[in-house]
Amino acid sequence: MLRRSFLKFGFAGLAAPNLILRSAEATGQPQPGNPFIVTYFEVPDIKGSRDVTDAGDGTVWVCGQRNGVLGRFDPRSNQIKVIPLGDGAAPHGVVRGPDGAAWVTEGGQNAIARVDPKDHKVTLFRLPEKEAYANLNTAVFDKNGICWFTGQSGIYGRLDPKSGDMTVFKSPRGRGTYGMTITPKGDIWYASLAGNHIAKIDTATGNATVVEPPTPSQGARRVWSDSKGRIWVSEWNSGNVSVHDPADGSWKAWKLPGSNPRTYAVYVDDKDKVWLTDFGANAIVRFDPVTEKFNAFPSDKSGANVRQLDGRAGETWGGESGNDRLVVIQTVAPA
């Protein structure tokens, strides 16, 4: 049985008393001036619910890192399908490929896993034996259907899903290779947490060009492109969100609100609003680049640890890895 609760937040990010519902749809409308609805879904069969992505049919994929499964959650029915990924599995990231399948960076088996969207069959593409523990992290698909991925041991790689051919490259500054994104033009970028930089990959040669953020030792953790091809960066050590424009080489940075922000995830929605997770505040944070203002959505439970964000039009999704829950923030259009 899944339990759903929902909270309404205004621009100040203050929660109204929450209503606990069992196997029921959240009801009601936000009050005037309150354009957000926050809903939580308890998914106890998904241990360590972390990275999420839209499955394309109204459902959401979510990694259960602590019990080696991938979940497929339907918020319309509150039902979830639990798919075991194999012995020793510890999935980290998940993306939807051009084929509609879920593609998982599966650190426990040191493989890229494909989960069929229809029969949920699991196919593993294992890394070379010389990369015995890559600590796989994040994947994206380029415009040619090639899967690019990162590993915190200091590698990144490419997989051709049709042939199964895989090539692994050494990161130019060693360990730390973490988040990954693709721009509207098709450029691939990654962030290096331990290496304190971002880098652009030449998809033809596989070479990576390092780009230095202006804040020293910032801990660039994840990256996401906006519609203009600017690269937004969550800076774990500095507590900043920053943006790099490759067109002119410029940088801007903003400190998240609060006394000790720890910026983990970053996601840019379809309106070019920037969503982040802040472990210091136990919150999801929205940043408007136009007004340069933040809205904070603190969890109603301690230790939420939302490690990744993704979404679809009007919805931002995350997994509370510390609470075995999913959270969605809906941006409600004015009537």
Side-chain angles (χ1 to χ4, degrees):
M1 180 73 71
L2 300 177
R3 186 173 68 183
R4 167 190 273 197
S5 61
F6 75 95
L7 302 175
K8 296 178 182 179
F9 282 83
F11 278 104
L14 298 177
N18 64 305
L19 174 66
I20 302 296
L21 303 174
R22 292 185 178 275
S23 298
E25 292 296 322
T27 59
Q29 295 294 326
Q31 299 302 311
N34 178 6
F36 303 110
I37 297 178
V38 180
T39 308
Y40 297 100
F41 302 93
E42 293 189 5
V43 286
D45 293 326
I46 308 297
K47 305 297 183 185
S49 50
R50 55 165 311 144
D51 289 20
V52 298
T53 199
D54 175 25
D57 62 350
T59 64
V60 177
W61 296 107
V62 54
C63 293
Q65 190 173 39
R66 292 202 305 269
N67 62 337
V69 302
L70 184 69
R72 190 172 190 173
F73 176 63
D74 190 338
R76 299 161 297 192
S77 64
N78 276 17
Q79 300 299 306
I80 191 162
K81 171 70 176 178
V82 179
I83 304 149
L85 295 176
D87 292 341
H92 191 289
V94 58
V95 295
R96 175 161 51 100
D99 57 355
W103 290 80
V104 181
T105 44
E106 212 300 88
Q109 299 176 95
N110 208 39
I112 305 299
R114 179 188 185 273
V115 180
D116 190 273
K118 295 180 179 179
D119 62 11
H120 297 151
K121 178 183 176 182
V122 178
T123 304
L124 297 179
F125 298 86
R126 298 186 185 275
L127 268 66
E129 290 185 5
K130 64 180 181 179
E131 303 296 342
Y133 180 59
N135 197 2
L136 292 167
N137 195 285
T138 305
V140 296
F141 279 84
D142 68 19
K143 292 192 173 183
N144 294 318
I146 300 299
C147 178
W148 291 85
F149 57 88
T150 60
Q152 283 194 80
S153 67
I155 63 97
Y156 58 94
R158 51 172 288 158
L159 166 68
D160 185 337
K162 294 182 179 179
S163 66
D165 290 341
M166 181 184 291
T167 306
V168 175
F169 305 91
K170 295 295 185 182
S171 304
R173 291 190 182 173
R175 69 184 187 88
T177 324
Y178 209 94
M180 205 170 212
T181 193
I182 182 170
T183 70
K185 290 197 310 180
D187 295 332
I188 304 291
W189 290 76
Y190 71 75
S192 177
L193 174 60
N196 295 299
H197 68 270
I198 65 174
K200 179 183 176 183
I201 298 174
D202 183 327
T203 56
T205 65
N207 295 331
T209 301
V210 170
V211 177
E212 300 275 4
T215 302
S217 302
Q218 77 298 129
R221 191 151 204 161
R222 290 188 183 267
V223 284
W224 205 286
S225 174
D226 65 16
S227 66
K228 300 179 179 65
R230 298 177 299 182
I231 308 301
W232 289 87
V233 186
S234 58
E235 297 182 1
W236 174 250
N237 296 335
S238 70
N240 291 343
V241 56
S242 61
V243 62
H244 171 61
D245 190 343
D248 61 12
S250 64
W251 282 89
K252 290 184 180 180
W254 299 262
K255 179 83 75 173
L256 269 62
S259 59
N260 185 33
R262 299 285 276 177
T263 318
Y264 194 110
V266 61
Y267 158 68
V268 183
D269 69 17
D270 60 312
K271 303 297 184 183
D272 272 351
K273 308 306 180 187
V274 183
W275 296 80
L276 309 135
T277 61
D278 180 1
F279 276 35
N282 195 42
I284 294 174
V285 177
R286 177 182 181 268
F287 177 67
D288 187 334
V290 177
T291 64
E292 299 187 350
K293 292 183 178 180
F294 291 93
N295 307 122
F297 304 88
S299 177
D300 65 337
K301 285 188 177 183
S302 62
N305 295 347
V306 179
R307 298 179 182 274
Q308 168 66 338
L309 296 170
D310 202 347
R312 48 200 179 208
E315 296 182 356
T316 297
W317 284 83
E320 288 196 348
S321 65
N323 294 326
D324 299 340
R325 297 198 303 180
L326 293 173
V327 55
V328 59
I329 302 177
Q330 294 172 289
T331 304
V332 182

